[in-house]
Amino acid sequence: MSVQTSSTRNVNETRNVSRGLGSERSAGASFTDRDPYPTRLARPLDMPWINRREPVVKGRVDDGPLSQAQLDEFDRKGFLFEPNVISGEELAELRRELKALLGRDEFRGRDFSIEEPQGKEIRSLFAVHFLSERFNQLACDDRLMGRARQILGGEAYVHQSRINYKPGFEGKGFNWHSDFETWHAEDGMPAMHAVSASIVLTDNHEFNGPLMLIPGSHRVFVPCLGETPDDNHKQSLKKQEIGVPGRDALSELVKRHGIEAPTGAAGGLLLFDCNTLHGSNANMSPDPRSNAFFVYNRRDNVCVEPFAARRHRPGFLAHAPDDTWSPDA
């Protein structure tokens, strides 16, 4: 499903505007080589956003399974949806594994198991490729890893993995945000060399809270206001309030590019750039919405000290290359 405003313009307009904005400087901001993407600020900059430095697609058509047309679409919009990547018994097996993981009582109440803000249903289960051999196989599957390498232009590792589950009638929405803003501010991810791969495990339709994305928003970085509280993840994983773009910037980006909500049958694959602004509505239908979610970060883009937090988030949220993690560690 695609929602476009009457004044939608093409992506190049944002590129041109952001180039001009990027030459400005705020009296209260420091644009340094260490942090070209300042965020969690005490007061706003004198510009709505900052021009992205890194190219979106770093690889070539010969480097992986995506066609030139698909790479061009990802470069232009910041995301790409492919239907029917997984089907049949393989899909059924993943859905059984999903149900088994969500039903494990020993995971409830643990820090890596996030429940709905007003309920006991599990909203997200993190580090799933360490919790499940089947999902570890999926994370390493060349259908996902190969596409990630092609887009990133180099070898990648799993920075984060999770199962997202939005139960019927009860699954709450999630505010607009850029994943990179969080990973940069709270995990220390230096640059925009990461891509998310989401395998749809249940049918996504317009009524069960599908992911909404602003095409073209990946071309600019929107700094956010508000100091990062200690242990912010305990609140933000249920309801994000810090690291949310301002309404003026969001309104302008939507005015330029509209909003799209890719929907389709279970087994589809959504790839989206780490900086694409996205969010979701509550699930108002009886149909649950679930997906397996893997973040691939380029190996030369390993996390350093957080850029806008006093300490790193827990290990289940941000893995290093060749990391190991256990719920009992």
Side-chain angles (χ1 to χ4, degrees):
M1 180 179 69
S2 174
V3 179
Q4 296 288 329
T5 62
S6 59
S7 56
T8 298
R9 301 164 187 153
N10 61 35
V11 173
N12 288 331
E13 184 168 352
T14 291
R15 291 190 205 175
N16 295 335
V17 170
S18 61
R19 285 194 185 102
L21 291 169
S23 64
E24 301 177 26
R25 293 293 182 267
S26 167
S30 175
F31 291 79
T32 66
D33 289 338
R34 181 184 180 274
D35 189 6
Y37 300 116
T39 191
R40 312 291 171 96
L41 305 175
R43 60 189 180 92
L45 305 182
D46 57 4
M47 63 187 91
W49 50 65
I50 299 166
N51 191 43
R52 176 190 182 121
R53 291 190 173 193
E54 303 84 0
V56 178
V57 175
K58 293 90 172 176
R60 304 167 302 171
V61 67
D62 295 336
D63 294 336
L66 295 174
S67 68
Q68 189 61 56
Q70 289 174 313
L71 291 174
D72 290 344
E73 180 176 349
F74 187 92
D75 185 73
R76 182 178 69 254
K77 296 170 66 174
F79 60 90
L80 175 71
F81 183 74
E82 296 182 76
N84 304 316
V85 172
I86 292 177
S87 60
E89 178 55 30
E90 182 183 14
L91 178 59
E93 181 186 3
L94 289 171
R95 294 174 71 160
R96 289 193 294 268
E97 184 72 355
L98 166 74
K99 183 178 180 180
L101 288 170
L102 294 177
R104 292 182 63 172
D105 289 337
E106 66 268 32
F107 289 167
R108 295 186 180 278
R110 304 292 298 276
D111 55 359
F112 59 88
S113 178
I114 310 302
E115 297 176 349
E116 286 289 338
Q118 290 89 33
K120 293 300 182 182
E121 290 271 16
I122 291 179
R123 176 189 182 101
S124 297
L125 194 63
F126 283 87
V128 69
H129 70 300
F130 289 114
L131 297 175
S132 163
E133 178 57 33
R134 183 63 192 87
F135 280 109
N136 182 56
Q137 293 170 3
L138 181 61
C140 299
D141 193 305
D142 202 54
R143 288 172 294 180
L144 277 64
M145 184 70 81
R147 283 164 168 78
R149 283 196 304 263
Q150 186 179 16
I151 290 170
L152 298 176
E155 291 300 316
Y157 69 96
V158 177
H159 168 75
Q160 185 186 101
S161 72
R162 65 181 184 265
I163 290 171
N164 286 335
Y165 181 70
K166 190 176 284 190
F169 295 127
E170 297 181 11
K172 299 299 185 288
F174 216 76
N175 215 336
W176 289 107
H177 65 286
S178 153
D179 286 333
F180 175 75
E181 192 277 341
T182 297
W183 301 335
H184 184 70
E186 299 186 40
D187 295 336
M189 184 178 287
M192 297 180 186
H193 296 315
V195 61
S196 295
S198 174
I199 287 285
V200 179
L201 297 178
T202 53
D203 294 351
N204 271 16
H205 55 72
E206 58 186 312
F207 305 114
N208 66 346
L211 196 68
M212 302 183 297
L213 307 101
I214 302 177
S217 60
H218 63 306
R219 291 283 178 184
V220 297
F221 178 79
V222 182
C224 300
L225 298 179
E227 183 180 356
T228 308
D230 288 343
D231 296 326
N232 181 50
H233 66 280
K234 293 180 179 179
Q235 168 64 26
S236 66
L237 296 178
K238 293 187 176 185
K239 183 179 180 181
Q240 186 161 1
E241 296 177 338
I242 301 296
V244 175
R247 291 186 176 182
D248 288 346
L250 284 170
S251 296
E252 183 60 27
L253 287 169
V254 172
K255 180 181 178 181
R256 293 172 186 273
H257 305 302
I259 298 171
E260 294 188 26
T263 56
L269 171 64
L270 176 65
L271 298 167
F272 61 100
D273 180 81
C274 62
N275 190 48
T276 303
L277 288 170
H278 60 285
S280 66
N281 288 323
N283 185 356
M284 301 295 289
S285 82
D287 304 323
R289 191 200 73 142
S290 59
N291 65 294
F293 187 93
F294 305 99
V295 178
Y296 297 97
N297 188 28
R298 210 167 69 181
R299 280 184 170 263
D300 60 359
N301 192 44
V302 294
C303 292
V304 294
E305 289 302 307
F307 288 84
R310 293 201 294 184
R311 57 176 177 265
H312 283 284
R313 297 194 297 173
F316 67 86
L317 289 172
H319 306 295
D322 308 313
D323 209 354
T324 58
W325 179 87
S326 167
D328 301 319

